[in-house]
Amino acid sequence: MCFSPSLLNTAIVAALAVSPGAFASASTDNLPAVTAIERFTVQGDLRQQNAAQLAGSLSVATEQDLARQSVQHLDELLNQFANVNYSAGASRGRFIQVRGIGERSEFVDTINPSVGILIDGIDYSGLGISGISDIAQFEVFRGPEATRFGANALAGMLNLITNGPTDSAEGKASLTLANYDSYQLAGQFSNAINSQWGYSLSLEQQVSDGFIKNTHLNRDDTNNIDEFTGRFKLAFQPGDDLKLQLISHVVDQDNGYDAFSLDRDRTTLSDQPGQDKLRSKALALQADYRGLTFARLQGQLSWLDADMDYGFDEDWSHVGLHPDEYSTTDRYLRDREQLTLDYRLVSNDAGRLGASDWVLGVYAASKEFDLTRQFWNWDLWQADTFASALSRSNLALYTELSTPLFEQLTLVSGLRLERYEDEYADSSANQINNSDTMWGAKLSLNYQPSPQALIYLLASRGYKAGGVNGDALAKAADDNLNELLTKASFAPETLYNAEFGVKGTALDQSLVTRVAAFYMWRQDMQVKGWLNPDSGPQFAGFIDNAGSGRNYGIEIENRLQLHPQFTLMLSASWLKTKLGNYVTLDGDDFSGREQAQAPRFSYNLAADWYLSDALTFNVGLQGKDAFYYSDGHNQRSSRYELLNLRLSYQLQQWQLALWSRNALDQDVGVRGFYFGNDPRDGYEPHLYEQFAEPRRVGLSASYQF
């Protein structure tokens, strides 16, 4: 599958053809309410505005989109979006890539993610997402979003907003049963206490044995899922001008981790299966004040504390497998505490003829990262411990100005200046202080030929912070690893983006089409490097700066109401990437090769067929091209197609659904390593892959009141 200029031209013509009178003859009087294509208001941008009027490539999903594919976790949801990928290396997909840019793992060294995650405005970047049953809206920003989100949005941002308080009592309870001894139990309730106070509560428990069979232990639950998520919101409106909201999150994840197999399938031989645990709690206070004559004051103060316990059986086998065996484990205990503040003034001039609309904001954050690693030290030939502490503070000022040039033409400009300071210390007596001042910007020219169409030209600049390679420093004392002294730290990365886009919506919303073409330049590109000096089980990991990189492509999204009972949705992307000048410490030259986790194409084709007022059939086909697993070796994933099916029946307040995800039972690789780890073949290098879920079949029931 590939995209040509003719396809881009067709999409642009289709978008421009959407005028106020388009599809005016299509009757919607008898359409089921759920078929209407909503006018989404983007919550994550500096100004709340319609998605069709926002310059930039953006996708929005709601609870309906989750139900269509029977989504239970972020992993399944991300497959719906063009040019979005993820990697696991843990019990869940935790690391996100947008347009081929993003991290694939985090071991010893603390990383600044290229694609961040916000839940109700709280920064969960690097932690992943657990429960999503209470989703109100999920937004995927593609491309540099430094002006809005700062250093965590080099390539994009995932923004999730959960359901909040309501004016009257509303609730929902749901239960899902599925194969692999899986169940999901969720409930939400919201209400108003009086005219000033309201609240919402959401609880979710998800349990599964996982999709791995450990033949040595004769268990099928060593890669299990056991996750609890609780969210509470309390809203207070003391007057017409002020709204306050207190948000509380709790996550208790007690998952197993036993995903990699020496036989390169879904059967493992581990005698010491690992774990992937997370205990986190978060609080946020949001304020919205409209009492100023010239501007609206919006802000959030948030706190998060997270304890993680991640570890695995390093040999993936058991004692007695082979005379040349080894038996070790690797464990990472992480503590993270952060305090963030983000306040801004949004002018009251929006919508006033000829007036400029402006935003002025300040952001500050303090983050503490503590690591204790328990591992086998091959140099000392004994169990060892490595500890590190990183203290990072960020301070940023940002502004955005929207200036009408003509009646249909607007210039939007934004700038963000951000300073970060790091204090690093570890048990190897390393103490390093790093600091830098970074800047991001955007400039877009927006032309609206009609209220239903937008054509934009966008230029933007993003950034991410540098850091310290603690793993490399800890192992540099070894005579064989002196070359790691040159990798003590790594520099910030910068990304430049040029983008052209067209968006169009029919007056009756029977057609929505969006297309974006982009070209991105990466400077001081951060890549993950490994040194394996003796071809044994000891690896030294570090983050390196390649010279540059190129990422360019096309993203297309369409929703079409073909018939009052039939809706078709298509999203697709084509992506081309290129590494700059990059030669590894082992001497491998990857200059000019495609970047890791960057599939050439991806697509999502879905249809809603309303067989009757009560019966609905949903079908979805998702595909992704093969991609390189790493920037340090040439092993690739396999191309795949996923078929998802769902048949639901609505009976007043009840809904029953029979569904299947990955109905064709495809093996989908979500993480890959290339090295030797099997003593039975003399530690011959192989591609070892972690796979996503196989065929899933389930039954869901929900009651809404």
Side-chain angles (χ1 to χ4, degrees):
M1 179 179 180
C2 63
F3 290 88
S4 63
S6 61
L7 179 57
L8 176 61
N9 294 337
T10 302
I12 294 174
V13 171
L16 292 178
V18 177
S19 64
F23 299 92
S25 62
S27 175
T28 60
D29 295 339
N30 299 320
L31 287 180
V34 292
T35 66
I37 300 173
E38 301 180 22
R39 299 178 182 272
F40 298 114
T41 298
V42 180
Q43 303 295 318
D45 194 50
L46 293 175
R47 306 176 188 84
Q48 293 187 4
Q49 56 183 315
N50 190 287
Q53 299 172 339
L54 181 64
S57 183
L58 169 73
S59 295
V60 180
T62 64
E63 182 182 7
Q64 179 186 350
D65 297 290
L66 271 68
R68 178 180 297 113
Q69 308 281 8
S70 301
V71 168
Q72 295 175 282
H73 191 266
L74 179 69
D75 296 3
E76 299 108 43
L77 178 61
L78 291 180
N79 288 326
Q80 299 185 22
F81 302 112
N83 262 338
V84 178
N85 201 6
Y86 73 91
S87 64
S91 61
R92 293 290 203 180
R94 185 175 298 162
F95 305 97
I96 316 300
Q97 301 87 39
V98 173
R99 294 179 173 176
I101 301 174
E103 286 62 46
R104 300 178 301 282
S105 60
E106 183 178 44
F107 291 100
V108 175
D109 302 317
T110 301
I111 56 175
N112 182 164
S114 300
V115 182
I117 298 175
L118 296 177
I119 305 178
D120 293 328
I122 302 173
D123 184 5
Y124 280 81
S125 304
L127 298 177
I129 295 177
S130 50
I132 58 173
S133 62
D134 60 340
I135 184 174
Q137 189 160 300
F138 184 75
E139 302 165 351
V140 178
F141 293 83
R142 301 183 188 88
E145 289 287 346
T147 304
R148 170 63 184 93
F149 300 109
N152 284 358
L154 176 80
M157 176 62 74
L158 307 185
N159 185 46
L160 189 149
I161 303 97
T162 62
N163 291 317
T166 52
D167 294 332
S168 58
E170 295 182 13
K172 182 180 180 180
S174 61
L175 173 65
T176 294
L177 301 176
N179 54 340
Y180 297 96
D181 290 332
S182 306
Y183 74 84
Q184 182 184 34
L185 182 62
Q188 299 100 42
F189 183 76
S190 60
N191 198 4
I193 301 173
N194 53 38
S195 60
Q196 292 183 319
W197 293 87
Y199 67 93
S200 65
L201 176 66
S202 171
L203 303 173
E204 178 184 334
Q205 178 72 52
Q206 192 165 165
V207 172
S208 175
D209 282 349
F211 320 118
I212 293 295
K213 172 68 175 179
N214 188 310
T215 57
H216 173 68
L217 299 177
N218 194 26
R219 291 171 52 188
D220 58 8
D221 63 349
T222 54
N223 202 53
N224 70 301
I225 298 296
D226 185 357
E227 299 173 343
F228 170 80
T229 304
R231 299 188 178 107
F232 177 74
K233 295 183 179 181
L234 181 64
F236 176 53
Q237 186 169 352
D240 294 337
D241 294 333
L242 179 62
K243 293 181 181 179
L244 300 173
Q245 183 168 238
L246 178 67
I247 300 172
S248 176
H249 294 174
V250 175
V251 176
D252 188 347
Q253 172 182 302
D254 192 9
N255 298 346
Y257 182 46
D258 185 28
F260 283 93
S261 165
L262 290 181
D263 296 319
R264 303 187 294 282
D265 54 20
R266 295 183 187 271
T267 62
T268 63
L269 301 169
S270 310
D271 56 0
Q272 302 178 80
Q275 67 285 333
D276 185 14
K277 300 180 180 182
L278 170 65
R279 308 282 189 275
S280 73
K281 47 189 179 292
L283 291 172
L285 179 62
Q286 295 177 340
D288 187 350
Y289 180 64
R290 299 171 179 261
L292 301 176
T293 57
F294 62 95
R296 176 180 178 181
L297 176 63
Q298 297 175 315
Q300 175 167 304
L301 176 66
S302 65
W303 166 84
L304 179 142
D305 181 79
D307 298 326
M308 291 162 279
D309 182 353
Y310 167 77
F312 50 90
D313 190 333
E314 203 168 18
D315 53 286
W316 304 343
S317 63
H318 58 85
V319 175
L321 178 71
H322 191 274
D324 296 333
E325 69 189 15
Y326 72 100
S327 181
T328 60
T329 60
D330 204 359
R331 187 179 186 185
Y332 299 82
L333 301 170
R334 271 192 168 86
D335 296 327
R336 168 174 159 184
E337 186 172 8
Q338 64 188 38
L339 185 67
T340 60
L341 177 149
D342 192 353
Y343 275 80
R344 60 182 175 270
L345 290 168
V346 181
S347 71
N348 291 329
D349 294 326
R352 188 161 61 86
L353 184 63
S356 296
D357 183 17
W358 54 265
V359 177
L360 180 63
V362 59
Y363 169 87
S366 175
K367 299 181 180 181
E368 305 287 338
F369 304 91
D370 295 319
L371 167 70
T372 300
R373 182 192 182 193
Q374 300 171 354
F375 67 106
W376 181 263
N377 190 316
W378 292 92
D379 300 319
L380 301 178
W381 202 255
Q382 65 181 30
D384 201 357
T385 299
F386 173 79
S388 67
L390 173 66
S391 177
R392 170 169 290 174
S393 59
N394 297 69
L395 179 63
L397 297 174
Y398 59 89
T399 184
E400 187 173 280
L401 179 66
S402 178
T403 306
L405 301 179
F406 301 101
E407 182 178 356
Q408 297 173 316
L409 191 65
T410 304
L411 178 68
V412 179
S413 55
L415 178 66
R416 185 183 185 109
L417 296 176
E418 183 161 357
R419 175 77 175 178
Y420 80 91
E421 295 184 354
D422 286 353
E423 295 181 1
Y424 172 87
D426 62 34
S427 55
S428 297
N430 295 301
Q431 292 187 342
I432 299 177
N433 294 339
N434 280 339
S435 62
D436 211 327
T437 300
M438 306 171 293
W439 65 276
K442 81 172 192 178
L443 187 67
S444 70
L445 192 62
N446 305 340
Y447 174 65
Q448 280 196 273
S450 74
Q452 282 73 44
L454 172 69
I455 305 172
Y456 67 87
L457 285 171
L458 171 67
S460 54
R461 184 186 195 271
Y463 56 84
K464 61 183 293 190
V468 177
N469 281 318
D471 193 21
L473 288 172
K475 294 177 179 176
D478 189 318
D479 292 339
N480 295 325
L481 301 178
N482 284 335
E483 55 265 59
L484 287 178
L485 290 173
T486 64
K487 306 298 181 183
S489 61
F490 53 95
E493 178 179 346
T494 304
L495 177 65
Y496 295 89
N497 174 58
E499 186 170 323
F500 169 72
V502 179
K503 302 180 179 183
T505 305
L507 187 63
D508 62 358
Q509 299 187 64
S510 56
L511 172 66
V512 174
T513 182
R514 298 167 186 167
V515 58
F518 61 90
Y519 195 101
M520 303 196 301
W521 299 261
R522 302 178 67 178
Q523 288 189 351
D524 293 322
M525 175 180 168
Q526 294 179 9
V527 295
K528 183 68 176 182
W530 298 92
L531 185 63
N532 182 214
D534 55 7
S535 300
Q538 176 175 252
F539 285 83
F542 56 90
I543 298 175
D544 203 359
N545 291 101
S548 62
R550 299 289 185 268
N551 301 57
Y552 55 92
I554 302 171
E555 295 148 356
I556 297 173
E557 289 186 346
N558 290 283
R559 291 182 179 227
L560 179 62
Q561 190 81 48
L562 295 173
H563 185 272
Q565 294 177 288
F566 191 82
T567 305
L568 184 67
M569 289 137 288
L570 170 65
S571 64
S573 61
W574 177 83
L575 176 67
K576 179 66 175 177
T577 64
K578 182 180 179 181
L579 283 168
N581 181 26
Y582 180 51
V583 180
T584 69
L585 286 180
D586 290 328
D588 297 320
D589 189 351
F590 293 100
S591 303
R593 202 207 69 179
E594 291 183 346
Q595 298 169 22
Q597 294 290 136
R600 185 73 64 91
F601 68 82
S602 64
Y603 65 89
N604 175 48
L605 179 63
D608 298 341
W609 185 12
Y610 299 91
L611 303 174
S612 68
D613 290 340
L615 196 62
T616 304
F617 179 64
N618 308 107
V619 59
L621 182 65
Q622 301 166 345
K624 194 164 291 183
D625 194 15
F627 54 85
Y628 289 103
Y629 278 121
S630 172
D631 292 320
H633 61 70
N634 285 318
Q635 302 303 305
R636 296 162 61 97
S637 69
S638 298
R639 170 180 170 173
Y640 68 82
E641 285 78 30
L642 298 178
L643 178 64
N644 301 318
L645 306 170
R646 177 184 172 94
L647 183 65
S648 60
Y649 182 75
Q650 187 80 38
L651 179 63
Q652 296 180 345
Q653 295 166 291
W654 286 92
Q655 185 182 75
L656 300 176
L658 177 66
W659 54 265
S660 177
R661 290 197 306 268
N662 190 8
L664 301 179
D665 201 22
Q666 297 286 295
D667 284 334
V668 178
V670 292
R671 190 70 171 103
F673 295 101
Y674 180 69
F675 64 102
N677 204 38
D678 192 341
R680 299 171 300 180
D681 62 8
Y683 294 100
E684 188 71 22
H686 296 287
L687 170 63
Y688 294 106
E689 293 179 282
Q690 179 180 352
F691 298 108
E693 64 178 12
R695 180 188 293 118
R696 303 298 309 280
V697 178
L699 179 65
S700 300
S702 64
Y703 178 73
Q704 194 158 0
F705 56 93

